[in-house]
Amino acid sequence: MLSSLRSRTLRGLSRAFRPSAFLRATTMRMSTIAPKPKADPEKCEVTGEIGNDGDFKQHFRMSKQEHPLKVKKAWQNPMQNHVWSKAEIEERMNDLPTHTPETLTDKAMHFLVKTVLYRTFNLITGFDRTNPTAKSCEWRLIILESVAGVPGMVAAGMRHFRSLRTLRRDYGWIHTLLEEAENERMHLLVCLKMFDAGPLTRLAVVASQYTMVGFLGLTYLLHPKALHRFVGYLEETASQTYFDLVTAVNTPVRTPHPPP
């Protein structure tokens, strides 16, 4: 009796899960449809990168997706920095500006950036300003620019929220700080055109970002001028780093390092 019941149950299940004629016909029809050919890669007019629409290579305002309000989509970079001439670059190379610390806050930030961070950074990355290796340049530039892009965004965010809380204008500081953060991020993207960030570099970038966001945010809450002075000294060290790299490239050495 149990055997008979089991047989009838199995036959019922097989009929229940048997594909219908409509499903079999649909499957056969789909199998005869040729796959849609992939579109040729296109060059984004904004980013300059090559890729297909939808694979995150195209700028979102240049994508083929229609705007919900049926308006024409266009994009213009609102943060256009000054394009330096060769004469301006040579003049700056001959005279790098430096700030002399005056107040106690200035001296504290100067010591933190120029002594603690700069020397520690050189030791960790193995950067020799007279004859740096390609690997030390990769480490230094990627981590430097990833950190340099943090203060402007932190300060701009805090000033934005303060403007909302106090219902008062900010008189241009928010846009200026955002422009600074965007400028540093562009430096980072330029570095990534020449160097590949490995797992260790990416881990260092994430760790430094988590550390610096908390430290700089607390600093700006307690003493905003201290953070601005920190950024100023950080930019001085960044300018010195690029000055050293340009000098090293244009100076012949006895033991050249292989290119990256």
Side-chain angles (χ1 to χ4, degrees), residues 31-234:
S31 63
T32 59
I33 299 177
K36 184 179 180 180
K38 190 175 182 180
D40 295 333
E42 299 177 358
K43 183 177 181 180
C44 180
E45 298 179 5
V46 177
T47 64
E49 296 185 358
I50 306 298
N52 293 308
D53 186 28
D55 62 0
F56 303 101
K57 292 290 185 180
Q58 292 280 354
H59 191 278
F60 75 97
R61 286 194 178 273
M62 303 301 296
S63 64
K64 297 179 180 179
Q65 186 175 0
E66 187 178 17
H67 193 280
L69 300 179
K70 312 298 182 183
V71 298
K72 182 179 179 181
K73 295 190 299 182
W75 184 82
Q76 183 178 1
N77 189 356
M79 300 181 182
Q80 292 288 349
N81 291 297
H82 173 66
V83 180
W84 287 48
S85 65
K86 186 176 180 180
E88 290 175 320
I89 296 175
E90 292 177 353
E91 179 184 359
R92 189 61 67 209
M93 289 286 292
N94 295 327
D95 184 21
L96 289 177
T98 57
H99 177 268
T100 302
E102 299 175 356
T103 66
L104 182 61
T105 300
D106 293 350
K107 295 178 181 179
M109 292 296 104
H110 187 275
F111 176 78
L112 175 62
V113 176
K114 294 295 188 76
T115 302
V116 178
L117 295 181
Y118 182 75
R119 294 181 180 179
T120 303
F121 201 28
N122 286 346
L123 181 64
I124 294 176
T125 59
F127 183 81
D128 180 9
R129 56 182 299 185
T130 59
N131 188 21
T133 64
K135 190 63 178 178
S136 66
C137 293
E138 172 189 332
W139 261 77
R140 186 174 187 81
L141 294 181
I142 292 179
I143 298 178
L144 172 64
E145 299 300 349
S146 65
V147 170
V150 173
M153 183 60 66
V154 170
M158 290 192 171
R159 295 189 73 93
H160 171 78
F161 289 124
R162 187 178 70 174
S163 177
L164 297 179
R165 289 195 308 271
T166 60
L167 307 178
R168 298 175 61 184
R169 295 183 55 133
D170 189 70
Y171 299 100
W173 269 105
I174 295 174
H175 183 273
T176 302
L177 294 168
L178 287 175
E179 184 180 11
E180 166 64 16
E182 172 72 2
N183 186 45
E184 302 300 344
R185 191 175 68 89
M186 291 301 102
H187 292 169
L188 175 62
L189 296 180
V190 171
C191 293
L192 293 175
K193 289 288 186 178
M194 298 178 288
F195 302 110
D196 292 327
L200 187 59
T201 303
R202 294 177 181 273
L203 179 62
V205 168
V206 173
S208 60
Q209 185 178 113
Y210 273 93
T211 303
M212 296 305 293
V213 168
F215 167 73
L216 297 176
L218 182 62
T219 302
Y220 204 78
L221 283 174
L222 300 178
H223 199 339
K225 291 184 178 180
L227 180 58
H228 291 303
R229 191 62 72 207
F230 174 90
V231 174
Y233 292 135
L234 183 64

